[in-house]
Amino acid sequence: MADRTAEARRRELGGFLRSRRHRLAPRDAGITPGPRRRTPGLRREEVAAAAGVSLTWYTWLEQGRVNGVSRQVLDALARALRLGPDEHRHLLELAGDPAAEPAAPATVSGEVRALLDMVEPNLAHVVTRCFDVVAWNAPVDALFGDMPDPPSGEDLNIVWMMFNHPWMRARFPEWEAEARWLAALLRNEAGRQAGNPRFQRLVEGLTATSAEFREFWAEHDVTPFTPSERHYSHPAIGRVTFRYMKINVENEPDLSVLVHYAPEGGAAAAALARLAETARAPAR
């Protein structure tokens, strides 16, 4: 398992470096392109020179053939590639120690299930780091009441549904922005989850079934989770905007509670109240 984990990390690291190199314009890196230049981004030798490493070593790094990279070199690569803070952190994670053996399947405690009930009529569901949904409350059932059951043996996964289920597209008026955001969130976990078979199986499945996921995933965009707004469309309440936030479960580090809520007195709050009234089932 350790060897497979290290190999997966090296592949991810190489792919991430290539994507950032291709994306960085020569002028942004202080390089004046000549008239015959055909490379849209930077050349390997230009990144290697800027980071103070040999071209051969950097080529091996992109090819996933290097074990162990010092923090000093990683920081130099981040500067050479003009990485932002989130991308720099992602680079460090990809080059870090191999992931531990995957933990046993997460269990949702009674306290967390009670929290799901307490936040009603707001929507709340519990997800793993791979975005498998493991519990939710009644308003979620109402908003996604036509959600199909997953095939036998498959997990209920937010990213999978976003890219493979037509009913999910109907729920999000700004589907492409949502899908890109989810792909970047999943990529943000790549460094931590590289040795997790569930993560690998999910990405392989999405890559095989969705051309749009392949396109977004190949861009290597990464983003951390930050509270913001999401726009939904529902046959009973029309288009509505909710705020959302994530609550980490301290004694279950693989789990988070995602809460979608609305300030009292507004149209979104009224829509949530109507959803609660039409909820068909208690929290599962």
Side-chain angles (χ1 to χ4, degrees):
M1 176 62 73
D3 289 343
R4 291 198 298 272
T5 296
E7 182 181 356
R9 283 181 179 276
R10 291 195 300 268
R11 287 198 305 268
E12 281 290 326
L13 176 60
F16 182 64
L17 289 171
R18 285 193 300 276
S19 74
R20 300 305 95 169
R21 176 168 62 83
H22 292 159
R23 180 170 294 189
L24 184 61
R27 293 188 184 279
D28 292 337
I31 298 170
T32 301
R36 295 186 177 181
R37 186 185 185 97
R38 296 180 179 178
T39 305
L42 297 187
R43 299 186 176 111
R44 283 174 173 165
E45 57 265 31
E46 291 167 341
V47 176
V53 299
S54 75
L55 172 59
T56 299
W57 183 89
Y58 180 75
T59 300
W60 288 351
L61 185 63
E62 281 199 1
Q63 292 173 346
R65 298 166 59 189
V66 175
N67 283 315
V69 185
S70 72
R71 175 62 184 266
Q72 181 180 2
V73 170
L74 290 169
D75 289 344
L77 287 171
R79 290 191 295 270
L81 293 168
R82 303 296 195 270
L83 300 186
D86 294 331
E87 294 172 319
H88 192 169
R89 173 193 49 74
H90 185 63
L91 175 68
L92 296 177
E93 289 176 346
L94 289 175
D97 294 333
E101 290 288 329
T107 57
V108 181
S109 67
E111 289 83 0
V112 172
R113 291 184 181 276
L115 176 64
L116 298 183
D117 292 335
M118 284 189 290
V119 301
E120 292 185 14
N122 297 296
L123 306 128
H125 55 283
V126 182
V127 298
T128 69
R129 286 188 178 274
C130 291
F131 299 95
D132 291 326
V133 184
V134 294
W136 59 93
N137 65 5
V140 173
D141 257 330
L143 185 65
F144 297 109
D146 51 353
M147 178 172 61
D149 291 330
S152 177
E154 291 294 326
D155 295 296
L156 194 65
N157 184 272
I158 292 174
V159 189
W160 178 269
M161 291 186 291
M162 181 65 76
F163 283 94
N164 285 286
H165 288 232
W167 68 270
M168 195 76 155
R169 292 177 184 252
R171 285 289 182 269
F172 291 96
E174 300 171 357
W175 181 87
E176 182 173 340
E178 284 284 337
R180 285 185 177 275
W181 176 69
L182 275 176
L185 282 176
L186 189 65
R187 175 67 81 177
N188 192 57
E189 288 293 327
R192 303 183 184 100
Q193 302 293 325
N196 184 338
R198 170 59 185 144
F199 176 85
Q200 295 172 353
R201 189 171 68 251
L202 175 62
V203 172
E204 288 171 0
L206 286 164
T207 301
T209 57
S210 172
E212 289 152 316
F213 179 82
R214 290 195 297 273
E215 176 189 346
F216 302 160
W217 191 250
E219 293 172 358
H220 281 259
D221 287 339
V222 294
T223 186
F225 189 99
T226 54
S228 187
E229 293 183 341
R230 302 185 83 180
H231 306 294
Y232 289 92
S233 180
H234 189 274
I237 60 176
R239 180 165 174 163
V240 64
T241 299
F242 298 136
R243 300 286 300 174
Y244 65 85
M245 65 181 298
K246 181 174 75 169
I247 304 170
N248 294 325
V249 182
E250 289 297 328
N251 62 336
E252 286 285 357
D254 188 50
L255 296 181
S256 298
V257 180
L258 300 182
V259 180
H260 293 70
Y261 63 95
E264 293 184 5
L272 280 175
R274 293 198 298 276
L275 277 175
E277 292 175 0
T278 60
R280 299 190 316 232
R284 299 193 212 180

